Amino acid sequence: MVYLRDQGEIEKIRAAAKLVARTLEMLAREVKPGVTTADLDRLADAFIREHGGRPAFRGYRGFPASICASVNDEVVHGVPGRRVLREGDIVGVDVGVEMEGYYGDAARTLPVGAIAKTTAHLLDVTQEALMEGIRRAQAGRRVGDVSNAIQTCAERNGFSVVRALVGHGIGREMHEEPQVPNYGPPDRGPRLMAGQVLAIEPMLNMGGPEVVTQPDGWTVVTKDGGLSAHFEHTVVVGPNGPEVLSVVDRE
Ligand code: MG
């Protein structure tokens, strides 16, 4: 079942997604050497609640925290804890918010202090791949057009795309249909329609695309130990093209 949202619903998703974006912006200021991932989780949890949202990840299928924080070779779903961030690390922070029954979801991978040039390139390309995917999220196109744009951008730059995890529809639930893979041929998959809302979220690896889940049952890491980056936006397929909802208003 694919849902088409009316303007009132889109505004509710926008409110949730905007709070996600503000939370990510706050976290970007707080990430520095010496901070633990549990510190980031506490800050995000308080910030979301202060602004009228509910951290959507906490308790989701039993997830024990309000954000995911994935360091270096951790791809996604890292559980915040006592790990101390060090100069040169990267940390992927993934935030979900529910407000008035609607969801927003977005993620960024943040540098901890100064990072290596090759690492910065991975972050830049992952963000670029996300924007390439978003550009294809147009009514009349297909999910595979989004997927293919992401994969093409990643591989053109020498990185690999994680296959085991995908983007998704979002709205009244955090995860709705359709699945939005980050790889595959163009002009395949479900056709996109105006009013659909998608969470598009490429995960790019420095080495191979294979991933494994850690014994904690959550943390997904690269099999070869290489670095991984993750960027995500909540996007509405508008009548006049895609619009990113997980952004902060600029004055
Ligand atoms: Mg997501």
Side-chain angles (χ1 to χ4, degrees):
M1 178 75 192
V2 163
Y3 299 96
L4 303 181
R5 307 296 179 185
D6 64 30
Q7 203 52 45
E9 292 182 290
I10 288 167
E11 292 315 315
K12 287 187 171 170
I13 298 169
R14 187 195 304 278
K18 190 183 290 184
L19 180 50
V20 170
R22 292 180 66 194
T23 307
L24 288 169
E25 198 175 68
M26 180 275 294
L27 291 173
R29 287 193 299 269
E30 298 293 339
V31 164
K32 49 182 82 83
V35 167
T36 69
T37 52
D39 293 334
L40 300 177
D41 185 56
R42 266 191 299 277
L43 287 165
D45 185 277
F47 187 87
I48 291 166
R49 293 180 199 279
E50 269 164 32
H51 292 87
R54 180 179 69 81
F57 294 172
R58 184 170 290 278
Y60 183 82
R61 296 186 183 166
F63 190 75
S66 293
I67 64 169
C68 300
S70 309
V71 182
N72 294 343
D73 64 321
E74 297 173 355
V75 179
V76 285
H77 305 163
V79 180
R82 281 171 295 189
R83 181 164 186 170
V84 179
L85 297 175
R86 296 183 312 178
E87 181 94 17
D89 284 346
I90 52 172
V91 58
V93 285
D94 195 342
V95 175
V97 163
E98 179 258 323
M99 273 175 102
E100 293 187 53
Y102 289 85
Y103 287 81
D105 187 5
R108 283 165 72 173
T109 299
L110 301 165
V112 183
I115 59 172
K117 224 174 182 173
T118 48
T119 310
H121 190 226
L122 174 68
L123 268 48
D124 289 345
V125 171
T126 307
Q127 201 162 12
E128 188 186 325
L130 171 58
M131 298 319 292
E132 289 280 321
I134 289 170
R135 239 169 261 139
R136 302 318 192 279
Q138 299 189 18
R141 282 189 177 261
R142 290 169 178 257
V143 169
D145 295 326
V146 175
S147 309
N148 185 259
I150 291 169
Q151 181 180 16
T152 301
C153 178
E155 293 178 354
R156 183 173 66 222
N157 286 280
F159 300 121
S160 69
V161 159
V162 173
R163 272 105 166 126
L165 297 138
V166 298
H168 48 93
I170 183 167
R172 299 298 300 252
E173 305 283 345
M174 197 152 56
H175 297 112
E176 295 180 353
E177 288 179 46
Q179 293 198 345
V180 184
N182 297 304
Y183 66 97
D187 202 29
R188 296 281 203 289
R191 205 167 285 282
L192 296 171
M193 289 172 280
Q196 262 186 284
V197 182
L198 305 173
I200 302 175
E201 49 177 322
M203 290 147 255
L204 268 57
N205 293 351
M206 199 87 96
E210 298 82 11
V211 297
V212 288
T213 303
Q214 295 287 71
D216 67 9
W218 287 108
T219 313
V220 177
V221 299
T222 58
K223 196 172 176 188
D224 60 15
L227 294 177
S228 186
H230 175 219
F231 283 81
E232 177 179 25
H233 271 309
T234 296
V235 177
V236 60
V237 179
N240 305 309
E243 186 188 358
V244 178
L245 300 180
S246 45
V247 286
V248 176
D249 280 335
R250 298 287 168 205
E251 302 290 294

